[in-house]
Amino acid sequence: MNKLLLKHCIRLPLACTLLSGIAVLPSISHAQNTQFTSDQQKEIVSVVRQALKDDPSILEDAIVSAQKQMAQERNEQASKTLTEKKNLLTSILPSDGFIGQPDAKNVIVEFYDPRCPYCKKVLPELIQLTKEDKNVKIIFKVVPILGENSILQAKAIAAAARQNGYVAMMKGLMDSKLNIDEETIKTIAKAQHLDPDRLLQDMKASSISKALDDNVELLKQLGIEGTPALIVNENKIVPGAVSYQTLKTLIQNNQ
């Protein structure tokens, strides 16, 4: 097998499996086992290994190519999901919260985890934006991706929506410096004039768990891997915490 042909073969996305010590070409021949004998497969592996030793850039090129292809596929899937889930993203579901004017023409959807430090950092920026721009509405979708305590807090926030206290509970939990458990949740609920016993009972509802699972699934379908993440006017995904000025620019550029 000449080296030029080998180089083109290895540039296939499958070359990434070489990182874990798995030979690429034998895995291909496994699907076409009538083409190569066992001895031929061993010879191919030997050639691949030697070629990589002689020219490591072969693998580097393959990895870069595979990364670009995966990024393109993620972007295409995200765009498809934005279109398919448009109504879901722009509607305020029973387990969601929002700030701003209900009929605002600009809508930002934020996926957040209540324990995420970057989510806590960006929250005041989002609040400021809706105070200063009456044409902006923020829809909050809680996604508990940071462990069991995130799930507990997310359930409290989603359940508080049943008492029209979503945002109050969200801010109370995210501003708190205390260790969050059920007793802390009850204390925060009382401070926000919510019924703490009803809240704890509502947190156990299967519909609350399903709503959180649906939020996490939607996050995955959008190809988003962390929080916070913003969707601006249904067409722009913005991962990570952003400044107030950046938020204003995003609104201006995505109307």
Side-chain angles (χ1 to χ4, degrees):
M1 180 179 292
N2 83 42
K3 187 175 178 181
L4 181 60
L5 177 58
L6 176 62
K7 193 165 184 174
H8 285 302
C9 288
I10 296 178
R11 279 200 171 104
L12 291 168
L14 286 172
C16 284
T17 59
L18 286 167
L19 286 173
S20 60
I22 302 173
V24 174
L25 293 179
S27 67
I28 296 174
S29 65
H30 179 71
Q32 302 173 341
N33 53 23
T34 58
Q35 295 187 18
F36 298 110
T37 65
S38 176
D39 288 341
Q40 287 173 330
Q41 291 181 28
K42 291 178 181 178
E43 182 180 357
I44 291 171
V45 171
S46 178
V47 172
V48 170
R49 286 175 174 166
Q50 187 59 49
L52 292 174
K53 289 179 181 178
D54 294 342
D55 185 2
S57 68
I58 295 174
L59 182 56
E60 293 172 4
D61 292 346
I63 292 172
V64 170
S65 177
Q67 289 174 335
K68 288 181 179 178
Q69 181 175 338
M70 288 188 289
Q72 180 179 347
E73 290 173 354
R74 284 197 299 267
N75 290 337
E76 290 174 353
Q77 180 59 45
S79 296
K80 180 181 178 182
T81 302
L82 283 175
T83 300
E84 293 177 347
K85 306 292 185 179
K86 177 181 177 179
N87 291 336
L88 184 61
L89 284 167
T90 56
S91 300
I92 302 173
L93 303 180
S95 58
D96 293 339
F98 85 97
I99 54 176
Q101 299 299 316
D103 58 349
K105 68 176 183 179
N106 296 306
V107 180
I108 296 176
V109 179
E110 186 202 23
F111 290 91
Y112 72 98
D113 184 299
R115 294 180 61 229
C116 165
Y118 299 102
C119 299
K120 295 178 182 181
K121 180 180 178 180
V122 78
L123 181 58
E125 309 285 352
L126 295 172
I127 293 172
Q128 181 184 355
L129 182 65
T130 57
K131 286 181 178 179
E132 296 189 7
D133 189 339
K134 301 306 180 184
N135 283 318
V136 176
K137 174 174 64 178
I138 313 292
I139 297 176
F140 296 108
K141 291 187 176 292
V142 60
V143 284
I145 59 175
L146 297 177
E148 290 299 320
N149 197 259
S150 288
I151 295 173
L152 178 68
Q153 294 187 43
K155 286 182 176 180
I157 293 169
R162 299 186 176 188
Q163 299 184 53
N164 297 318
Y166 184 105
V167 175
M169 178 57 67
M170 174 185 67
K171 287 186 80 284
L173 288 171
M174 294 177 75
D175 290 344
S176 177
K177 306 299 182 184
L178 302 174
N179 179 49
I180 303 300
D181 55 21
E182 288 192 354
E183 286 304 314
T184 312
I185 289 171
K186 288 178 68 173
T187 299
I188 293 173
K190 289 178 182 178
Q192 301 299 335
H193 307 293
L194 303 176
D195 182 334
D197 294 325
R198 176 187 170 188
L199 181 71
L200 291 181
Q201 186 63 36
D202 287 342
M203 286 169 61
K204 300 175 184 177
S206 59
S207 56
I208 294 294
S209 295
K210 183 180 185 307
L212 300 182
D213 290 342
D214 289 346
N215 284 352
V216 173
E217 180 60 28
L218 181 56
L219 189 78
K220 292 178 180 178
Q221 290 176 0
L222 289 166
I224 300 171
E225 298 178 348
T227 56
L230 308 176
I231 313 295
V232 182
N233 284 337
E234 309 158 25
N235 58 37
K236 178 69 174 178
I237 299 176
V238 184
V242 295
S243 67
Y244 175 72
Q245 189 55 50
T246 300
L247 286 169
K248 290 182 65 175
T249 301
L250 286 168
I251 290 294
Q252 293 170 0
N253 294 340
N254 291 277
Q255 294 190 9

